[in-house]
Amino acid sequence: MYAVIKTGGKQYKVAAGDKVKVEKLTGDVGSTVVIDKVLLIADGETTTVGAPLVAGAKVNATVVSHGRGDKVMIFKMRRRKHYRKTQGHRQSYTEIQIDTISAK
């Protein structure tokens, strides 16, 4: 059984027991998070596609850790104009472990 969930403006395909790094969520390490934006649930032979969400579907997950990703360097330059700009960015994330996927 797997599901496609939406969190942080992105979509993730998850199954029970998976560890996924998603955009930063509120909650302490070890707490339970309920994700109710489920776009699709597939259970063997049956597939339920939401329009846009599957009614009554939930994904329960546990927060494993919080962290920050690798640094991404942004460099802008206009040739012959004496313009250079360097900027760095590190995106925060939350690692969650999927416990259960429940449909209605």
Side-chain angles (χ1 to χ4, degrees):
M1 177 178 219
Y2 70 90
V4 176
I5 61 171
K6 181 178 180 181
T7 179
K10 299 181 177 112
Q11 297 177 7
Y12 301 92
K13 178 183 174 183
V14 296
D18 287 353
K19 285 188 178 180
V20 182
K21 289 183 180 178
V22 298
E23 296 291 321
K24 186 173 182 182
L25 298 173
T26 57
D28 296 329
V29 174
S31 64
T32 303
V33 177
V34 177
I35 300 169
D36 55 355
K37 292 185 179 180
V38 180
L39 304 173
L40 178 138
I41 289 183
D43 184 15
E45 297 297 319
T46 61
T47 302
T48 305
V49 179
L53 302 175
V54 177
K58 294 180 191 174
V59 174
N60 294 325
T62 304
V63 176
V64 176
S65 65
H66 295 289
R68 298 183 76 192
D70 296 332
K71 181 173 266 196
V72 177
M73 296 303 294
I74 298 102
F75 180 72
K76 297 180 181 181
M77 185 182 99
R78 299 280 185 235
R79 63 183 186 158
R80 299 186 305 267
K81 304 299 180 192
H82 197 64
Y83 170 76
R84 290 182 187 158
K85 182 179 180 182
T86 304
Q87 186 176 2
H89 176 74
R90 289 182 69 187
Q91 186 68 34
S92 298
Y93 68 86
T94 299
E95 186 174 9
I96 59 174
Q97 182 168 5
I98 306 301
D99 297 329
T100 59
I101 299 171
S102 60
K104 187 178 181 186

